[in-house]
């Protein structure tokens, strides 16, 4: 079931109605049932994967909590991690690697014809954090299998996150799910904003992007450049729109999920983009469960560079999925962002020294704008590898744009722009304007303090935009396929 499908809204209304009628201490069971219906709606077989991960995570977690023997606890942890991560790797990569062995070496490797279910990566990573946090003593032993099952299956986040931590989620369930009136209002606002970003912005940009990438070899350099820019905003609005709907829906049930985006295209550096602005829950997951265990930056400069690249390479592989296929482009995308981080780490001392010597330049708004534009374009270049069908196609797109940059101003004046292009430009300008205002002062605070009439004008504007410009049920969310 998709957030943008027509069946979702009756489902949500029923789920909220029954949730409100039940005693607070029993609401978890209803939410668990609703989550299984939601996840199994499109493909009931998905529940087999979810059920298997849930049983493995709870059984190993319970075993870890019941023994004090360090060796046995370690064995249980490793067994649980190997099982759930092995399932993820097998489901996502086995058939792809088997095909590569046949293509490169002619070895006859049998295929399993597996198809990883939507959201598998997200609840497997949640299971990993549950096991590791339980092993490290970051949360009390969990003996309630139903609460753990709800943590992994909770329907607002199951397809595309945020990758919530059990340490934050389970205490909310144990206290009873009682949404406050202010929480419900904030939840409805976030759902509306998320739907706007998805069905109005992302899904109106998508046809232009898809058309150009499908004929990349024949598209003009200007069309390729426009597609690169449009995809950067499409994937942002698609994914952050999902997160907004997930967070808002969670609030309607009395559950607070972590923030996952913080106006990423206003980041003045690649480091800030990945550490504090884009897919925050995944970045924090890799930091806590891979980067720090590898030694982080505590074992020398060379080891830090290796650890950074390893994290981004694994992140690239994690992103390989059904949405744009499983291929080496994702590894290149991850490695390219790792290389960006290398440059940032290597030049950081120089920038700190210059900032100390030239404080007025460091605080210049012109310099800040230049850094934001540079960061955005570096990220946009990496998105080409994320979206392209192959490494050769991505490289060809970038080459043709770079070679023809000098000719683009003349081409722009002659290009037959359509109403779809003008709508896309208007939506992007609107989004950037709202995000700039939000960066200075929270949009939600501004809305709360606005006069009632102005607030309702904003609400109706969003509703009319959803009805008039929204492409409902047009396509799935991109990240639910990873």
């Amino acid at each position: 079931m998709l957030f943008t499908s027509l069946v979702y809204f009756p489902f949500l209304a029923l789920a909220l109605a029954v949730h409100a009628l039940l005693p607070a201490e029993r609401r978890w069971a209803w939410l668990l049932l609703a989550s299984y219906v939601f996840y199994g709606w499109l493909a009931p077989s998905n529940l087999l994967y979810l059920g298997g991960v849930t049983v493995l995570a709870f059984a190993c977690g319970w075993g870890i909590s019941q023994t004090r023997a360090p060796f046995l606890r370690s064995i249980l942890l490793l067994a649980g991690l190997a099982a759930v991560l092995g399932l993820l790797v097998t489901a996502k990569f086995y058939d792809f690697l088997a095909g590569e062995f046949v293509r490169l070496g002619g070895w006859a490797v049998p295929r399993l014809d597996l198809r990883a279910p939507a959201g598998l990566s997200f609840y497997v990573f949640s299971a990993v954090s549950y096991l590791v946090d339980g092993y490290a003593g970051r949360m009390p032993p969990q003996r309630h299998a139903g609460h753990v099952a709800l943590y992994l299956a909770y329907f607002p986040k199951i397809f595309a996150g945020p990758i919530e931590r059990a340490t934050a989620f389970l205490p909310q369930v144990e206290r009873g799910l009682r949404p406050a009136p202010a929480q419900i209002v904030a939840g409805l606002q976030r759902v509306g904003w998320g739907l706007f970003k998805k069905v109005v912005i992302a899904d109106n940009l998508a046809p232009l992007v898809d058309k150009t990438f499908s004929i990349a070899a024949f598209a003009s350099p200007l069309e390729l450049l426009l597609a690169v820019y449009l995809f950067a905003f499409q994937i942002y609005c698609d994914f952050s729109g999902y997160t907004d709907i997930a967070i808002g829906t969670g609030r309607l049930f009395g559950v607070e999920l972590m923030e996952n985006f913080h106006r990423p295209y206003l980041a003045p550096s690649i480091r800030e983009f990945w550490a504090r602005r884009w897919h925050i829950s995944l970045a924090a997951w890799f930091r806590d469960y891979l980067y720090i265990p590898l030694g982080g930056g505590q074992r020398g400069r060379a080891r830090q560079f290796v650890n950074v690249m390893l994290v981004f390479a694994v992140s690239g592989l994690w992103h390989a999925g059904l949405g744009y296929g499983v291929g080496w482009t994702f590894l290149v995308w991850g490695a390219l962002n790792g290389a960006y981080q290398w440059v940032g780490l290597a030049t950081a001392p120089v920038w700190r020294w210059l900032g100390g010597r030239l404080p007025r330049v460091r605080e210049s708004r012109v310099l800040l704008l230049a850094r934001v534009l540079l960061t955005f374009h570096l990220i946009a270049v990496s998105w080409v590898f994320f979206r392209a069908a192959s490494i050769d196609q991505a490289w060809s797109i970038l080459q043709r744009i770079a070679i023809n940059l000098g000719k683009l101003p003349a081409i722009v004046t002659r290009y037959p722009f359509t109403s779809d292009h003008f709508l896309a430009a208007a939506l992007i300008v609107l989004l950037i304007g709202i995000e700039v205002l939000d960066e200075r002062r929270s949009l939600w605070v501004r809305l709360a303090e606005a006069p009632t009439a102005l607030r309702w004008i904003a609400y109706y504007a969003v509703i009319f935009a959803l009805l008039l410009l929204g492409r409902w049920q047009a396509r799935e969310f991109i990240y639910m396929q990873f």
Side-chain angles (χ1 to χ4, degrees):
M1 193 181 300
L2 304 177
F3 287 154
T4 56
S5 64
L6 296 182
V7 72
Y8 174 70
F9 297 100
F11 164 84
L12 180 61
L14 176 62
L16 287 169
V18 176
H19 183 268
L21 293 173
L22 290 172
E25 63 275 10
R26 298 296 181 191
R27 290 173 177 171
W28 70 266
W30 169 247
L31 272 183
L32 179 60
L33 175 61
S35 297
Y36 284 152
V37 171
F38 178 89
Y39 188 59
W41 186 266
L42 295 178
S45 59
N46 289 353
L47 295 172
L48 296 176
Y49 286 88
L50 176 59
V53 171
T54 301
V55 170
L56 287 167
F58 180 76
C60 291
W62 182 84
I64 290 170
S65 69
Q66 295 301 303
T67 180
R68 296 182 180 180
F71 178 75
L72 184 55
R73 295 179 81 248
S74 298
I75 291 296
L76 288 169
L77 174 65
L78 292 174
L81 295 179
V84 296
L85 289 173
L87 173 64
L88 175 64
V89 171
T90 301
K92 289 187 71 169
F93 299 110
Y94 177 86
D95 283 342
F96 167 72
L97 292 175
E100 290 296 289
F101 279 124
V102 172
R103 184 177 67 86
L104 296 175
W107 298 298
V109 180
R111 303 291 184 94
L112 298 179
D113 292 325
L114 291 175
R115 182 178 174 86
L120 177 64
S121 296
F122 288 91
Y123 57 81
V124 163
F125 272 28
S126 294
V128 169
S129 69
Y130 169 77
L131 289 171
V132 174
D133 288 348
Y135 177 84
R138 300 189 186 109
M139 61 182 180
Q142 300 298 315
R143 297 183 175 84
H144 200 305
H147 288 181
V148 176
L150 177 59
Y151 162 64
L152 294 174
Y154 185 52
F155 76 86
K157 70 177 182 65
I158 191 168
F159 280 135
I163 305 174
E164 193 65 48
R165 304 293 175 86
T167 52
F169 185 90
L170 291 175
Q172 297 184 71
V173 178
E174 291 165 1
R175 289 193 298 268
L177 304 173
R178 302 178 178 86
Q183 203 174 18
I184 294 173
V185 172
L188 291 172
Q189 290 173 338
R190 286 297 287 270
V191 169
W193 179 231
L195 287 171
F196 180 85
K197 284 200 283 189
K198 166 59 178 171
V199 302
V200 176
I201 301 181
D203 287 354
N204 275 297
L205 302 183
L208 295 171
V209 175
D210 293 346
K211 178 182 177 182
T212 302
F213 273 89
S214 67
I215 57 167
F218 308 100
S220 70
L222 177 59
E223 288 173 322
L224 294 174
L225 181 61
L226 289 175
V228 171
Y229 283 137
L230 293 177
F231 179 67
F233 287 98
Q234 179 204 349
I235 193 171
Y236 167 52
C237 289
D238 190 286
F239 193 15
S240 67
Y242 181 100
T243 295
D244 286 328
I245 298 170
I247 291 173
T249 302
R251 287 174 176 168
L252 300 180
F253 292 97
V255 176
E256 286 291 336
L257 299 175
M258 70 180 295
E259 294 291 341
N260 212 23
F261 288 88
H262 186 68
R263 300 175 292 282
Y265 291 147
L266 298 182
S269 69
I270 297 293
R271 180 181 180 184
E272 182 171 319
F273 179 90
W274 286 114
R276 295 193 291 274
R277 289 182 180 265
W278 181 278
H279 206 343
I280 299 168
S281 64
L282 181 66
W285 192 96
F286 276 115
R287 179 197 65 209
D288 294 344
Y289 302 111
L290 184 58
Y291 181 69
I292 291 176
L294 288 173
Q298 305 302 313
R299 297 184 182 179
R301 195 71 165 168
R303 181 65 177 272
Q304 182 182 21
F305 275 68
V306 171
N307 291 342
V308 166
M309 182 56 73
L310 181 59
V311 166
F312 275 90
V314 173
S315 174
L317 291 174
W318 178 85
H319 279 85
L322 303 177
Y324 298 122
V326 179
W328 298 114
T329 51
F330 293 99
L331 183 60
V332 174
W333 171 79
L336 180 56
N337 279 284
Y340 291 161
Q341 295 282 6
W342 277 4
V343 174
L345 286 170
T347 58
V350 176
W351 292 116
R352 283 196 295 268
W353 181 82
L354 287 174
R357 292 295 185 92
L358 304 169
R360 293 184 64 182
V361 174
R362 179 188 63 197
E363 297 167 4
S364 166
R365 291 188 177 182
V366 175
L367 178 60
L368 176 62
L369 177 60
R371 293 177 63 195
V372 168
L373 289 174
L374 175 61
T375 300
F376 169 77
H377 281 87
L378 290 173
I379 292 296
V381 168
S382 75
W383 285 137
V384 176
F385 290 94
F386 194 98
R387 178 61 179 79
S390 66
I391 295 174
D392 289 341
Q393 187 191 62
W395 183 240
S396 174
I397 290 171
L398 293 174
Q399 277 186 315
R400 292 177 60 202
I401 291 173
I403 292 172
N404 291 280
L405 276 178
K407 303 176 185 177
L408 288 178
I411 297 175
V412 168
T413 60
R414 301 192 303 269
Y415 188 79
F417 292 103
T418 67
S419 58
D420 290 336
H421 289 105
F422 291 118
L423 175 61
L427 292 173
I428 290 172
V429 169
L430 174 64
L431 174 71
I432 293 174
I434 291 173
E435 299 238 314
V436 169
L437 290 174
D438 197 29
E439 182 80 358
R440 295 179 177 179
R441 189 162 177 261
S442 170
L443 174 68
W444 309 112
V445 173
R446 291 174 185 268
L447 197 60
E449 295 177 354
T452 302
L454 185 60
R455 191 160 59 244
W456 278 99
I457 288 174
Y459 293 156
Y460 279 116
V462 170
I463 292 171
F464 282 126
L466 290 172
L467 294 175
L468 298 176
L469 300 175
R471 291 174 174 259
W472 295 93
Q473 304 188 95
R475 59 185 58 233
E476 298 175 334
F477 290 86
I478 292 173
Y479 261 75
M480 67 179 283
Q481 297 297 328
F482 298 124

